[in-house]
């Protein structure tokens, strides 16, 4: 059996059940007292009356402070599930019994969630589900009622359903139940207040989640896949954004096919984090693809990229490392715009840092880039990376590169194994910056089927 209890905006006085037969006489007496006709009455009001009023105010302030402190425990995060759990735990702590939430998203209604207490004490879930569907949508012309009361067939178990509504939208209901003692109005009003507070935080949590989804869609659009290298070069790439709220930041990797079996490898790092850095990263990436198609030496590619970026006042500076790999000649040509040098791993598993002339970051307009060529034979691995891979707070960058140089690799491992080893040994899970890493390994083309070798 279910019935809506009409809400009352004002509290009911303690003596509201008494007959007011002498109401007029009481008003006359009060008027006489206010006029000062009885000094004894006035003195009594100044004494015991004022003292009891002060005590009542003090007690009221204490209760209000405790309630305010309790309400602060709801909505401590922007996670909707956490807010629902905080709501049910506080409801049970203040009113006892068992509490649960039935959430509503559009026309979809869940079952009991975030249960605190004995789940067997809760009423039939169909009753709560129906209430959740109706929450926030009263009949036309009807006054919104603050809660729905339920009584089982034996009336030994009571339950209350308080809607989670905020801003005219319904997000479900708070369901509270206990056995034995009848429901008091003060308890119903308290639970309704808790539900109202939780609904406000759920509304903010859903708005925040919606913004995150939109940002994620935009970031996925910016995170285009690198190009395919020549079949004579194996490549593996890893990207790990800093923090769990973003998909891509300012770090990026790229591969561009050049003539005569050569491949240009690129690793870049736009200053800053998040969506803004990702947008600028996309600009640099597009510029690189356009310029690299002319098959210029790496240092001239950087020079043109710097010229373009310096004419864009809102574009953030970026570091960049280019590696033009030529497996046929067994060599690699490097050029850097303020970027860290790559690491070379021999076929025996030894690691070393490859020196490269460093110019200023892109976007400064200073130019001054140079190239350097080094041997890179079949079976050797070249690893390009952004500074998030090695840099640690309070540590000198030379010391950071030494830690990478100290990593040893078992022979015969694939490129994915190489990246797994590096990320594990350098504890990248606790990195404070985005991490992008690209590993490549040239091999000789043998026979007409070599072009079918997958990168």
């Amino acid at each position: 059996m279910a019935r809506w209890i009409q809400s009352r905006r004002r509290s009911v006085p303690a003596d509201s059940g008494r007959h007011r037969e002498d109401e007029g006489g009481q008003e006359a007496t009060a008027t006489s007292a206010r006029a000062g006709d009885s000094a004894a009455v006035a003195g009594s009001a100044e004494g015991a009356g004022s003292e009891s009023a002060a005590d009542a105010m003090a007690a009221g302030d204490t209760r209000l402070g405790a309630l305010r402190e309790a309400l602060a425990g709801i909505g401590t995060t922007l996670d909707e599930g956490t807010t629902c759990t905080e709501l049910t735990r506080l409801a049970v702590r203040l009113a006892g019994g068992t509490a649960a939430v039935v959430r509503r998203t559009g026309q979809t209604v869940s079952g009991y969630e975030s249960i605190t207490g004995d789940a067997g004490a809760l009423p039939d879930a169909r009753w709560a589900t129906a209430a959740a569907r109706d929450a926030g949508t009263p009949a036309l012309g009807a006054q919104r009622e603050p809660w729905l009361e339920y009584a089982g067939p034996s009336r030994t178990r009571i339950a209350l359903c308080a809607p989670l509504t905020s801003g005219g939208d319904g997000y479900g209901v708070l369901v509270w139940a206990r056995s034995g003692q009848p429901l008091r109005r003060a308890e119903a009003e308290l639970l309704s207040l808790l539900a109202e507070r939780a609904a406000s935080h759920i509304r903010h949590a859903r708005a925040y989640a919606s913004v995150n989804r939109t940002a994620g869609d935009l970031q996925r659009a910016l995170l285009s896949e690198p190009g395919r290298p020549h079949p004579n070069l194996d490549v593996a790439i890893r990207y790990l954004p800093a923090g769990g709220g973003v998909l891509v930041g300012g770090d990026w990797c790229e591969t561009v096919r050049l003539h005569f079996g050569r491949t240009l490898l690129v690793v870049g790092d736009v200053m800053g984090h998040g969506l803004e850095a990702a947008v600028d990263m996309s600009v640099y990436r597009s510029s690189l693809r356009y310029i690299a198609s002319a098959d210029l030496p790496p240092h001239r590619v950087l020079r043109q990229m710097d010229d373009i970026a310096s004419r864009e006042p809102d574009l953030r500076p970026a570091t960049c490392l280019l590696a033009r790999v030529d497996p046929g000649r067994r060599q690699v040509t490097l050029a850097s715009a303020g970027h860290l040098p790559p690491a070379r791993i021999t076929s025996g598993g030894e690691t070393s840092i490859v020196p490269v002339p460093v110019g200023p970051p892109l976007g400064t307009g200073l130019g001054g880039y140079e190239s350097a060529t080094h041997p890179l034979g079949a079976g050797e691995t070249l690893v390009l990376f952004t500074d998030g891979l090695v840099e640690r707070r309070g540590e000198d960058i030379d010391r950071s590169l030494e830690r990478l140089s100290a990593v040893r690799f078992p022979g015969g491992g694939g490129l994915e194994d190489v990246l797994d080893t590096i990320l594990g040994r350098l504890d990248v899970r606790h990195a404070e910056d985005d991490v992008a890493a690209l590993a490549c390994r040239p091999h000789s083309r043998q026979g007409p089927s070599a072009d079918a070798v997958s990168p």
Side-chain angles (χ1 to χ4, degrees):
M1 171 181 173
R3 62 186 180 87
W4 286 103
I5 300 178
Q6 298 293 335
S7 61
R8 288 180 290 177
R9 299 302 180 187
R10 292 176 295 179
S11 60
V12 180
D15 59 350
S16 58
R18 300 176 183 176
H19 296 288
R20 299 183 178 179
E21 298 176 353
D22 196 20
E23 191 176 58
Q26 292 177 7
E27 291 177 355
T29 303
T31 302
S32 176
R34 286 194 298 270
D37 293 342
S38 175
V41 174
S44 176
E46 292 176 357
S50 61
E51 182 178 350
S52 61
D55 292 340
M57 291 179 62
D61 290 343
T62 300
R63 290 192 296 270
L64 182 60
L67 178 59
R68 184 182 293 113
E69 182 180 355
L71 291 175
I74 298 178
T76 58
T77 70
L78 283 172
D79 180 72
E80 181 177 347
T82 301
T83 298
C84 292
T85 300
E86 292 169 344
L87 169 62
T88 58
R89 288 177 178 174
L90 184 58
V92 171
R93 180 162 67 88
L94 296 181
T98 299
V101 167
V102 176
R103 284 196 279 180
R104 171 184 168 186
T105 305
Q107 297 302 316
T108 303
V109 178
S110 72
Y112 284 132
E113 299 180 347
S114 304
I115 300 174
T116 300
D118 180 14
L122 295 171
D124 191 331
R126 290 173 295 181
W127 172 75
T129 299
R133 287 198 178 96
D134 295 338
T137 56
L140 183 64
Q143 180 183 3
R144 180 171 306 194
E145 297 164 327
W147 60 78
L148 183 66
E149 186 180 357
Y150 172 90
S154 62
R155 305 193 65 86
T156 59
R157 184 179 63 182
I158 62 169
L160 175 141
C161 192
L164 299 169
T165 57
S166 178
D169 296 322
Y171 304 104
V173 290
L174 166 67
V175 181
W176 173 88
R178 75 168 174 223
S179 300
Q181 187 178 4
L183 178 70
R184 297 191 298 271
R185 180 175 181 82
E187 292 174 328
E189 290 178 340
L190 173 62
L191 294 169
S192 181
L193 175 62
L194 298 182
E196 180 182 346
R197 173 60 64 92
S200 176
H201 289 290
I202 291 174
R203 177 166 63 91
H204 290 303
R206 292 194 180 182
Y208 177 75
S210 177
V211 171
N212 270 357
R213 284 193 297 270
T214 302
D217 292 340
L218 178 57
Q219 291 181 78
R220 275 185 286 271
L222 294 173
L223 189 60
S224 58
E225 290 294 327
R228 292 174 60 85
H230 280 285
N232 56 9
L233 187 69
D234 294 333
V235 172
I237 294 175
R238 294 290 178 86
Y239 177 75
L240 302 173
V246 295
L247 298 173
V248 61
D251 292 21
W252 54 287
C253 299
E254 186 60 88
T255 66
V256 181
R257 284 194 184 197
L258 304 176
H259 298 297
F260 311 113
R262 298 168 302 161
T263 300
L264 182 67
L265 307 177
V266 187
V267 170
D269 184 359
V270 178
M271 295 184 180
H273 302 279
L275 187 58
E276 294 81 3
V279 172
D280 288 347
M281 174 270 290
S282 181
V283 175
Y284 279 109
R285 196 170 189 172
S286 299
S287 175
L288 179 278
R289 287 176 172 173
Y290 171 75
I291 297 171
S293 63
D295 203 355
L296 298 172
H299 67 281
R300 291 186 58 187
V301 173
L302 290 179
R303 186 185 307 164
Q304 292 201 22
M305 291 181 66
D306 181 55
D307 289 342
I308 294 175
S310 62
R311 292 195 292 268
E312 298 289 340
D314 296 331
L315 196 63
R316 304 182 183 195
T319 65
C320 188
L321 176 65
L322 303 185
R324 189 179 65 186
V325 182
D326 188 344
R329 296 184 178 182
R330 298 192 175 187
Q331 64 183 24
V332 58
T333 301
L334 303 169
S336 172
H339 205 88
L340 293 177
R344 178 170 52 196
I345 305 170
T346 67
S347 57
E350 301 292 322
T351 307
S352 62
I353 302 299
V354 182
V356 54
V358 181
L362 301 176
T364 61
L366 299 176
Y369 304 106
E370 301 178 19
S371 296
T373 301
H374 299 274
L376 184 67
E380 292 187 327
T381 303
L382 187 71
V383 181
L384 289 66
F385 51 89
T386 55
D387 54 9
L389 178 71
V390 295
E391 283 188 347
R392 298 296 179 265
R393 185 184 299 273
E395 181 181 71
D396 184 79
I397 187 60
D398 291 332
R399 172 56 185 156
S400 301
L401 293 175
E402 288 176 2
R403 287 192 297 107
L404 176 58
S405 300
V407 178
R408 297 294 179 264
F409 301 86
L415 292 182
E416 296 291 346
D417 296 330
V418 169
L419 292 180
D420 286 339
T421 300
I422 293 176
L423 297 177
R425 296 284 180 84
L426 300 183
D427 194 22
V428 175
R429 293 176 302 173
H430 298 94
E432 299 178 357
D433 198 358
D434 299 341
V435 175
L438 183 154
C440 74
R441 181 180 296 162
H443 53 82
S444 300
R445 300 179 63 184
Q446 300 176 354
S449 62
D451 287 339
V453 178
S454 60

Coordinates of all heavy atoms in Angstrom, one line a residue, residues 138-143:
P138 N 5.5 15.4 -11.4 CA 4.1 15.3 -10.8 C 3.1 15.6 -11.8 O 3.3 16.1 -12.9 CB 4.2 16.4 -9.7 CG 5.2 17.4 -10.2 CD 6.2 16.6 -11.0
A139 N 1.8 15.2 -11.5 CA 0.7 15.4 -12.4 C 0.5 16.9 -12.6 O 0.8 17.7 -11.7 CB -0.5 14.8 -11.8
L140 N -0.1 17.3 -13.7 CA -0.3 18.7 -14.0 C -1.2 19.3 -13.0 O -2.3 18.8 -12.7 CB -1.0 18.8 -15.4 CG -1.2 20.2 -15.9 CD1 0.1 20.9 -16.1 CD2 -2.0 20.2 -17.3
G141 N -0.7 20.4 -12.4 CA -1.5 21.2 -11.4 C -1.3 20.7 -10.0 O -1.9 21.2 -9.1
A142 N -0.6 19.6 -9.8 CA -0.5 19.0 -8.5 C 0.8 19.6 -7.8 O 1.8 19.9 -8.5 CB -0.3 17.5 -8.6
Q143 N 0.7 19.7 -6.5 CA 1.8 20.2 -5.7 C 2.9 19.1 -5.6 O 2.5 17.9 -5.3 CB 1.4 20.7 -4.4 CG 2.5 21.2 -3.5 CD 2.1 21.6 -2.1 OE1 0.9 21.4 -1.8 NE2 2.9 22.1 -1.3

